[in-house]
Amino acid sequence: MELVQPLHAPGFSLRQLNGRDWLYALVVLAAAGVAYSRYGHAMDGYEQGILAGSALGLIALGWFWKSWQWYFPLSGALALGGLALYGDDLARGQTSFGLKFLLSSQSAIMWMCFLYFLATAVYWLGLLRRSDFLNRVGSGLTWAATVLGLTGLFVRWGESYLIGADVGHIPVSNLYEVFVLFCLITALMYLYYEARYQARQMGAFVLVVISAAVGFILWYTFDRQAHEIQPLIPALQSWWMKIHVPANFVGYGAFALSAMLGVAELLAMRGILTNKLPKPEVIDEVMYKAIAVGFLFFTIATVLGAMWAADAWGGYWSWDPKETWALIVWLNYAAWLHVRLVKGWRGAVLAWWAVIGLFVTSFAFIGVNMFLTGLHSYGTL
Amino acid sequence: MRFAISLLTLLAIASVIGTVLKQNEPYPNYVVEFGQFWFTGFEWLGLFDVYHSSWFLLILAFLVLSTSLCIWRNAPGFIKDMKGYREKASESSLAAMSHSVALPAGVSAAQASAYLRGQGFLVREASREDGVLVAAKKGAANKLGYFLAHIALVVICLGGLLDGNVPLKVAELFGKVVPETRDIPQSQIPPQSRLSTSNLSFRGNVTIPENSTADVVFLNAGNGYFVQDLPFLVTLKKFHVDYYSTGMPKLFASDLVVTDKQTGKETVATVKVNHPLIIDGVAIYQASFGDGGSPLRFKAWNLGVPNAPAQTLAAKSLGNQPVEINSQRYQLEAGELRTFNIENVGDNNAAMGVNKTFQEVMQSAGQVKHDKQLRNLGPSITYKLRDAQGQAREYHLYMSPISQDGRPYMMAGMRSEVAQPFAYLRLPLDDNNSLDDFMRLRAALMDAKVQSEVARRVAAQALAGQAIGREMREPFEQSVRWVLDRFGQGGFAALESFLDERVPKDKRKDVAQTYIKIVQGAVVEVDAVARERAGLPRRPVNEANYRFLIDSLVGVSALFDYGAPVFMQLDSFDEVKATGLQITRSPGKTIVYLGSVLLVLGIICMFYIRELRVWVLVKSDQVRVAMASNRKTSDLDRDFERHSNALQQLARGE
Ligand code: HEM
C-alpha cells in the first residue's frame, strides 16, 4: 500500500534517499579520502577525527537539505580550480587572469561582498513591488555570493600554506575571516528557511545584517589591511579552533537572523509592509527555529571553548570577558526560550527581545574585542 | 520560575560588572582609579573579584537549589506524562483540540494501530463505552531532555563550586588561613599563609628560571597570596621560544623534569601552550615566559674621566647591585634582557593605508601577503641607575650596532620618568664597530691642552691659506680656543646659552653660524691630535670620515644630557630564560564536562525531538482523529494533515 504524501516532510529517512543522495555521499567521502591520503600525515589524531566527523556531518547535511548537495561541491570545485591556478606560486595571484579577477581568495570575497549588496537591493525592490521574480533573483544572487564566499575561504586556506608551511591554517583565526564566515552562515541558514517556508520576502531584512557585516569586511580590508594572512600565535595552534569557532558562528548567525526576523515581524504587526510580508506567525516560527538552532550550537561552542581553555590557559572557566559575555548571551536566549516554551509568550515582546538579543550578541562578538581586554586578546580591532 | 529568571538576570548583571571592572588588579591601582571612598565601597562589595565574592557564590547556590527544586517538583508529573497514553481523553475534549477532525466510519481500530505503529508511534488500544480509542505517542525523549538539561545545570554548578575552592574560602572567612601581602622570600612565609598538598583544588602560578626548581605555586587571594605546596618538584631544564619571520611568537615550550617528593620518581616532559602535562591529577600549563636573570657584562666608560679606558662591569638582569662611580654610591637595577627586538622599518604611512592612490589600495586589497620590511634589532636591556638620594634614571641599550644611512651607531635611550618615552642617544662607531674612536675624540675635545694645540694649528692653517690676515692670527686663535673650551664644558648647549646671555638677539644667528663653523672645522684637527697621541695615523679626509666627526660632535654634546656618570655598553650575556607555569588541581573538571555533555544532549532532546500524540476514536458511525504536540508550530499542521489524510485513505480502502 502506497501512501500519498501531500506535503514534503523535512528531514530524511534512509528509505527516502535516491541515487543523487548516494552520489553526493560518495563525492564527499572521496574528497575526504583524498584529503586524508594527501594531508593525513600532517594531522594529529584529533584532526583526523575532525576530518571524518566533517565528512559524515556534510553527508547528513546534504541529505537533510538537498540544495547543499550542489552548493558544497560547487564551492569546493571552484576552490580546487583556484588552487590549481596557483600551482605552488603565490605570486600567480597577481598574474593569472582567473585568479586576479575571480578565484584568488580576495577576489572571490570581494565578489561575495558585491553580490550581497546587490542581493539586498534586489530583495528590497522585490519586497516593495511584491515581485516574486525579483525575489527569486535576490535569492539567486545570495546563493552566488555564498558560493563565492565559501570558495574564497577555501582558497585562502590553501594560500596560507603557499605563504609558508608553518603559516598555513584554517581561515577562522581572526576577525576578518570570521566575519566572512558569519556572512556565509547567516545567508545559508536564511536560504534554508526561505525555501522551506516559501517566504522570500524575509530576504530584504536578513540581507541587511549581512550587508552590515560586509561593510565591516570592506572597511577592515581597505583601512586596516586586515585581510593579510598572519601566522597563528601559540594559543591558537590547536585543533579545537577548527570546531569551536564554526560552532560559535552558527550561533551568532542564527541570532542575527532571528533579530532581523524580529524587525520584520514587528513591522508586519504594526501594519507596515503587512500586506507585503509573510504572516507574522510564519515569521515568528522561523524566528523561534533559528533561535533554537542557534542556542544548541552556541551551547556546544561554549562547552568546546571551555574545553579548549582548559588545554590552553589552564582552566575551563576563567571569567575572561569573552567567556563571561558568552554566558550572558547564553542566559539571554535561555530566558527567551523559557518564556516562549514554558510561559507560552508570543508576538511583539519576543520579537523585541530577539532584536535586543542582537545587540547583546554583537557586544559579545566585537564589543568585547574593542572595549575589554582579556585572554582572548587576539583579534583586537 | 519567576524566581529562577530573577536569579539568572542577577547573575547576568553581576557578570557584566565583572567584565567592565578589571578584576584582580593590585589594590593600589583601584585606589588611584576610583579614589579612597569608592575603593572602600567597591572592596566591601567584592567588586574587584566579583566571581569569587560570597554574594555571587550565594546566587549560584540559590540557582542550584531552585533548579533542583524545579526538577523535583516537575519530575512526578513529567514522568507520568512520559509513560502515559492519555487514553482517558473524552470525545468532547478530543473534538475541542485545535487539530481534530471527524472522518466517516470505515477504518478499524486495528488498521489505525497498524498504520500508527508503522509511522513509529507507540500505540495502546482501549475499548471504552463510546468506542475503541487508539492512543499513540512518539517523542517521549523530549521530556527526558528537560531532565537531562536541567540536571546538567545543577551538575555543572556543583563542579564549578568545587573548583571555586569553597573550603579555602570558608577557612579564610574564619581566619584559619591568612593571605600574605608582603613581598618576601618564599622560605620566610609564615605557616598560616601556606596551603598543604592535601588542598583539594587550586590554581596558581610560578616562574622558574632555567636549571632552577620550584616546589610551590602562588595563589592570588584578593590583595595578597597564598603559597601552595606541590606534591612534586618542578625543574626547568630549558625554555624554547621560536618566532615567525614576522616577529610573532610561534612556539613556547618548557623542558621539565618533575620529581615526586615521596617516591622520587622523575618524569621528563615538554609542556607547550595547548599541550599541558598532567601528573597525579595536577596539571602543569605553559602560561608565560621571560628573562630568568641572565649574567651580563657591560663595558662602562667613566664619563667624568674622559681619558680612562672602559672597564668591565658584571651584572645580572632582573638583579640589583651597588656600584661606586667617582666615589659616589649608586644602585644598578637591571631590567629584563630581551634577546629579540623585531621592528617594522617599512614605510608606516604605506602600511596604514594613508596617502595611497586608489590603485595601490586595490592592489593591496587583492593580496593576502605583504612584504614587510622587518629587521631584528638584536638584544636589548634596560636598567636604572639610582643615586644616593633615591633619584633614578632609566636607560635602554641595544647591544648590536644599529645601521642608519649605511653607518653603524650605538643607540642608548634615557628617560627620567617611567611614563615618558625614551630619548635616544646615537653614538657613531668606528671601523671595528667599537666606541674607542669616539671616546678618544671626546676626551680630546674636553682636554684643555688639546684645545690650545688645535687652536694654534687652525690659526696657522688659516693664515697659510690666507683666510685671515697676520694681525688677525692672535684673536682668531683665541676665539677658537674659547669656542672649543666652551664646547668641551657643555656641548652645543653651552655655546647656545652664552649666545642667549651675551649676544643681542639680531646677531645671534650669525654668531651661532660662526661658532658651528669653528667647531666643525676644528674637530678635524682635534681628531688628528688625539690620534697622534695614541700613535695612530691621521684620518684621511673623505665624506665618511667627516660624517663620523660631525656625528661625534652631536654625540659628545648629547652626552652632557645623559644624566649618568658612566656610559654603559652591553658587551655580552649568557641568556637564562624563565618559564611561567600555571599549576592546577581541579577535581570539578570531570564533573563539569559530564554536565556539559548532559546539557547538550538535553537541549537536542528538548528542541529536536517533538512530542506527538495521536488519538483515533473509532465509533460505529464516525472516526475522530485528534493530534497534539507540546510545540505548536506549523510542523504540527503538516503532520496532522498527513496522518488524517492517510487514515482517510485507509478508510476508503485505497
Ligand atoms: C532555575 C530554575 C529553572 C526552572 C524552574 C526551569 C523550569 C523549566 C521548565 C518547567 C521547563 C519546561 C519543560 C517543558 O515544558 O518541556 C523548562 C524548559 C527549559 N529550560 Fe528551564 N528551568 C530552570 C532553569 C533553566 C536554566 C538555567 C536553563 C538554561 C539556561 C534552562 C533551560 C531550559 C530550556 C532551554 C527549556 C526548553 C523548554 C522546553 O523544551 O519545553 N532552564 N525549564
Side-chain angles (χ1 to χ4, degrees):
Chain A
M1 177 179 58
E2 267 305 319
L3 286 174
V4 190
Q5 298 234 335
L7 281 164
H8 169 71
F12 62 87
S13 73
L14 285 183
R15 267 174 295 159
Q16 289 169 358
L17 294 178
N18 59 25
R20 219 186 91 163
D21 295 326
W22 289 108
L23 181 67
Y24 164 76
L26 224 59
V27 169
V28 173
L29 283 181
V34 171
Y36 179 75
S37 65
R38 290 188 62 174
Y39 308 115
H41 61 89
M43 301 179 181
D44 63 23
Y46 297 106
E47 285 167 327
Q48 292 172 357
I50 293 174
L51 178 65
S54 314
L56 296 181
L58 286 169
I59 291 174
L61 185 54
W63 285 353
F64 171 74
W65 183 26
K66 307 293 178 190
S67 305
W68 186 265
Q69 288 184 11
W70 64 262
Y71 167 72
F72 186 75
L74 176 61
S75 300
L78 283 174
L80 286 179
L83 290 175
L85 285 178
Y86 268 119
D88 51 11
D89 180 10
L90 190 65
R92 289 268 251 300
Q94 291 304 305
T95 53
S96 153
F97 182 84
L99 287 175
K100 192 165 177 187
F101 294 102
L102 183 64
L103 288 179
S104 75
S105 69
Q106 275 308 102
S107 308
I109 288 170
M110 286 301 138
W111 275 108
M112 175 197 87
C113 294
F114 170 69
L115 289 171
Y116 276 139
F117 278 148
L118 200 60
T120 313
V122 172
Y123 267 126
W124 272 101
L125 268 184
L127 176 73
L128 296 176
R129 296 205 178 164
R130 290 212 249 171
S131 155
D132 189 47
F133 170 73
L134 282 177
N135 281 336
R136 277 170 194 281
V137 173
S139 191
L141 288 170
T142 309
W143 271 113
T146 310
V147 166
L148 283 169
L150 187 61
T151 304
L153 282 188
F154 278 141
V155 173
R156 188 176 168 91
W157 198 345
E159 285 168 349
S160 69
Y161 280 91
L162 290 181
I163 291 178
D166 62 349
V167 174
H169 58 83
I170 185 171
V172 293
S173 70
N174 62 22
L175 265 186
Y176 173 82
E177 292 165 346
V178 296
F179 257 90
V180 178
L181 188 68
F182 171 80
C183 292
L184 295 183
I185 288 178
T186 312
L188 282 167
M189 293 183 79
Y190 165 68
L191 288 167
Y192 170 78
Y193 289 121
E194 171 192 275
R196 170 116 161 66
Y197 287 87
Q198 292 298 316
R200 293 208 168 76
Q201 303 89 330
M202 300 186 304
F205 288 88
V206 178
L207 265 285
V208 168
V209 73
I210 297 181
S211 289
V214 165
F216 180 86
I217 291 174
L218 292 179
W219 170 77
Y220 216 35
T221 302
F222 289 111
D223 198 61
R224 297 294 181 91
Q225 274 72 42
H227 60 284
E228 288 171 28
I229 294 177
Q230 303 287 352
L232 290 182
I233 57 169
L236 294 184
Q237 294 165 10
S238 167
W239 54 273
W240 287 107
M241 186 175 78
K242 294 188 165 76
I243 48 179
H244 168 66
V245 180
N248 239 323
F249 277 82
V250 176
Y252 287 149
F255 296 150
L257 175 64
S258 66
M260 295 320 287
L261 295 177
V263 174
E265 188 185 343
L266 285 171
L267 290 181
M269 285 163 70
R270 279 158 195 239
I272 304 166
L273 297 172
T274 307
N275 54 359
K276 302 191 165 110
L277 279 167
K279 284 212 288 289
E281 300 81 70
V282 174
I283 305 180
D284 189 73
E285 185 172 327
V286 179
M287 183 169 75
Y288 158 68
K289 294 231 155 149
I291 288 185
V293 176
F295 187 68
L296 171 64
F297 276 86
F298 201 74
T299 308
I300 294 175
T302 310
V303 169
L304 291 174
M307 293 180 171
W308 184 7
D311 263 8
W313 302 332
Y316 52 85
W317 198 265
S318 321
W319 295 101
D320 159 78
K322 195 92 178 172
E323 277 174 358
T324 310
W325 274 93
L327 176 69
I328 293 166
V329 169
W330 190 77
L331 291 174
N332 177 51
Y333 287 101
W336 192 96
L337 288 165
H338 266 91
V339 297
R340 184 181 166 107
L341 298 173
V342 182
K343 300 257 158 181
W345 291 14
R346 290 287 187 284
V349 179
L350 285 189
W352 272 113
W353 193 339
V355 175
I356 293 165
L358 180 61
F359 289 98
V360 180
T361 309
S362 311
F363 191 82
F365 178 8
I366 20 182
V368 172
N369 297 26
M370 274 160 61
F371 302 116
L372 306 174
T373 54
L375 297 163
H376 275 90
S377 52
Y378 47 83
T380 44
L381 280 171
Chain B
M1 178 79 194
R2 194 164 298 155
F3 183 57
I5 296 262
S6 323
L7 283 179
L8 291 180
T9 314
L10 219 59
L11 202 67
I13 293 172
S15 305
V16 172
I17 296 175
T19 63
V20 176
L21 198 69
K22 267 203 168 168
Q23 300 286 294
N24 292 315
E25 297 263 299
Y27 277 15
N29 293 9
Y30 291 122
V31 180
V32 170
E33 194 173 343
F34 301 110
Q36 189 61 43
F37 175 76
W38 289 109
F39 169 79
T40 317
F42 285 3
E43 197 209 348
W44 186 77
L45 285 173
L47 293 191
F48 302 134
D49 195 4
V50 171
Y51 309 115
H52 301 103
S53 65
S54 18
W55 56 269
F56 191 84
L57 294 178
L58 207 66
I59 299 180
L60 271 185
F62 262 114
L63 194 67
V64 170
L65 198 70
S66 109
T67 313
S68 311
L69 280 178
C70 164
I71 299 168
W72 182 253
R73 244 194 358 244
N74 278 324
F78 276 26
I79 292 172
K80 200 165 144 229
D81 200 54
M82 277 166 75
K83 288 201 182 135
Y85 286 80
R86 298 197 205 155
E87 63 269 43
K88 300 246 161 50
S90 69
E91 182 173 6
S92 57
S93 70
L94 292 180
M97 285 184 177
S98 60
H99 293 77
S100 179
V101 64
L103 303 176
V107 74
S108 72
Q111 273 177 316
S113 299
Y115 165 73
L116 289 169
R117 280 204 184 89
Q119 293 290 316
F121 286 87
L122 291 173
V123 183
R124 179 174 288 180
E125 280 180 43
S127 299
R128 322 194 300 193
E129 43 201 62
D130 57 350
V132 181
L133 179 73
V134 179
K137 65 168 186 179
K138 179 151 108 168
N142 175 279
K143 285 276 184 292
L144 186 65
Y146 163 78
F147 287 110
L148 289 179
H150 289 78
I151 291 173
L153 293 172
V154 176
V155 171
I156 291 174
C157 288
L158 288 181
L161 285 175
L162 190 60
D163 283 344
N165 215 341
V166 177
L168 179 65
K169 286 265 148 4
V170 173
E172 202 182 329
L173 209 64
F174 288 105
K176 288 223 169 72
V177 291
V178 184
E180 178 59 65
T181 49
R182 294 164 296 170
D183 194 8
I184 52 176
Q186 195 252 109
S187 52
Q188 293 169 21
I189 287 169
Q192 79 258 26
S193 303
R194 304 187 79 98
L195 308 174
S196 83
T197 52
S198 62
N199 187 4
L200 198 59
S201 135
F202 58 83
R203 183 186 324 189
N205 292 289
V206 64
T207 304
I208 312 175
E210 281 173 332
N211 292 314
S212 300
T213 299
D215 67 343
V216 296
V217 288
F218 299 90
L219 318 188
N220 273 332
N223 198 19
Y225 58 91
F226 288 112
V227 176
Q228 167 72 54
D229 286 319
L230 295 175
F232 45 63
L233 304 167
V234 188
T235 306
L236 176 68
K237 285 287 159 202
K238 193 157 175 49
F239 183 77
H240 306 269
V241 47
D242 286 354
Y243 295 93
Y244 294 104
S245 58
T246 60
M248 270 168 66
K250 178 178 177 178
L251 169 81
F252 303 129
S254 304
D255 294 342
L256 300 179
V257 179
V258 180
T259 316
D260 192 289
K261 275 182 187 164
Q262 277 179 356
T263 63
K265 193 171 99 51
E266 288 198 344
T267 311
V268 177
T270 299
V271 171
K272 290 189 261 186
V273 179
N274 277 314
H275 299 275
L277 169 68
I278 296 170
I279 288 190
D280 297 336
V282 178
I284 305 178
Y285 297 90
Q286 183 66 59
S288 62
F289 77 100
D291 182 13
S294 311
L296 310 169
R297 276 165 302 280
F298 289 101
K299 250 183 170 176
W301 305 85
N302 190 333
L303 295 179
V305 189
N307 275 317
Q311 290 184 351
T312 303
L313 177 70
K316 196 169 175 189
S317 59
L318 303 176
N320 287 356
Q321 69 188 64
V323 287
E324 193 177 306
I325 305 159
N326 303 335
S327 55
Q328 296 277 347
R329 296 195 139 268
Y330 292 90
Q331 190 73 12
L332 174 65
E333 304 170 5
E336 193 178 3
L337 174 73
R338 295 184 49 170
T339 54
F340 201 73
N341 287 285
I342 288 286
E343 191 177 82
N344 185 359
V345 295
D347 179 4
N348 251 344
N349 278 349
M352 291 310 290
V354 180
N355 291 335
K356 286 215 290 191
T357 65
F358 179 71
Q359 203 159 19
E360 279 169 337
V361 171
M362 291 308 288
Q363 165 96 6
S364 148
Q367 287 171 309
V368 289
K369 178 176 178 248
H370 282 261
D371 291 318
K372 293 212 177 62
Q373 287 184 305
L374 297 171
R375 70 177 174 184
N376 182 1
L377 298 180
S380 70
I381 179 87
T382 55
Y383 65 88
K384 285 186 184 154
L385 208 54
R386 194 176 293 282
D387 63 21
Q389 285 75 46
Q391 300 284 10
R393 287 188 186 226
E394 190 176 9
Y395 298 90
H396 180 220
L397 301 178
Y398 285 102
M399 175 168 158
S400 318
I402 288 176
S403 173
Q404 288 189 342
D405 304 328
R407 293 187 183 82
Y409 295 93
M410 182 60 44
M411 301 295 265
M414 186 277 287
R415 63 181 173 193
S416 43
E417 309 252 348
V418 181
Q420 284 174 353
F422 282 106
Y424 282 89
L425 180 73
R426 194 178 82 149
L427 305 184
L429 294 173
D430 55 31
D431 297 342
N432 303 324
N433 267 344
S434 84
L435 280 173
D436 293 346
D437 276 15
F438 169 79
M439 288 296 178
R440 188 185 309 110
L441 178 57
R442 173 171 183 274
L445 277 165
M446 299 172 84
D447 183 328
K449 283 200 196 112
V450 178
Q451 288 163 1
S452 310
E453 170 67 12
V454 168
R456 196 184 56 73
R457 288 193 196 181
V458 170
Q461 279 167 9
L463 188 65
Q466 293 183 341
I468 52 172
R470 191 164 285 279
E471 73 291 350
M472 283 299 291
R473 180 183 167 145
E474 191 58 24
F476 183 66
E477 187 179 329
Q478 259 178 31
S479 42
V480 171
R481 189 183 310 123
W482 181 86
V483 169
L484 284 178
D485 176 53
R486 190 92 197 170
F487 182 83
Q489 280 170 31
F492 290 118
L495 290 169
E496 201 174 309
S497 69
F498 174 80
L499 288 178
D500 289 348
E501 283 163 24
R502 302 288 174 80
V503 180
K505 226 177 190 158
D506 53 331
K507 298 237 176 80
R508 274 182 206 160
K509 215 169 149 199
D510 292 340
V511 182
Q513 289 285 348
T514 317
Y515 286 173
I516 288 174
K517 258 197 206 131
I518 290 175
V519 177
Q520 287 181 348
V523 71
V524 179
E525 274 319 308
V526 176
D527 185 55
V529 173
R531 291 178 70 90
E532 274 166 31
R533 293 183 168 192
L536 293 170
R538 214 183 155 89
R539 212 180 276 277
V541 179
N542 60 32
E543 162 74 23
N545 283 336
Y546 188 63
R547 185 81 243 166
F548 174 86
L549 296 177
I550 298 300
D551 286 335
S552 295
L553 282 179
V554 176
V556 169
S557 184
L559 266 178
F560 286 106
D561 294 329
Y562 196 55
V566 281
F567 182 81
M568 307 227 292
Q569 190 188 349
L570 182 58
D571 198 36
S572 66
F573 59 83
D574 305 310
E575 190 187 12
V576 176
K577 298 194 202 86
T579 187
L581 300 178
Q582 179 169 112
I583 302 188
T584 71
R585 181 188 273 159
S586 56
K589 186 164 130 172
T590 339
I591 301 175
V592 170
Y593 285 5
L594 177 77
S596 305
V597 173
L598 291 183
L599 179 64
V600 171
L601 287 179
I603 291 178
I604 291 177
C605 289
M606 281 199 289
F607 294 132
Y608 296 99
I609 297 180
R610 268 185 320 132
E611 190 192 87
L612 267 186
R613 289 179 185 271
V614 185
W615 294 267
V616 183
L617 179 60
V618 182
K619 300 207 298 182
S620 51
D621 56 340
Q622 69 162 28
V623 175
R624 158 86 36 201
V625 179
M627 245 176 119
S629 164
N630 65 335
R631 300 266 183 280
K632 288 183 194 58
T633 61
S634 62
D635 300 322
L636 180 60
D637 305 344
R638 227 178 308 228
D639 285 335
F640 178 65
E641 198 168 333
R642 186 157 63 95
H643 293 307
S644 54
N645 277 349
L647 287 166
Q648 205 154 15
Q649 283 169 358
L650 278 176
R652 281 191 239 119
E654 281 165 25

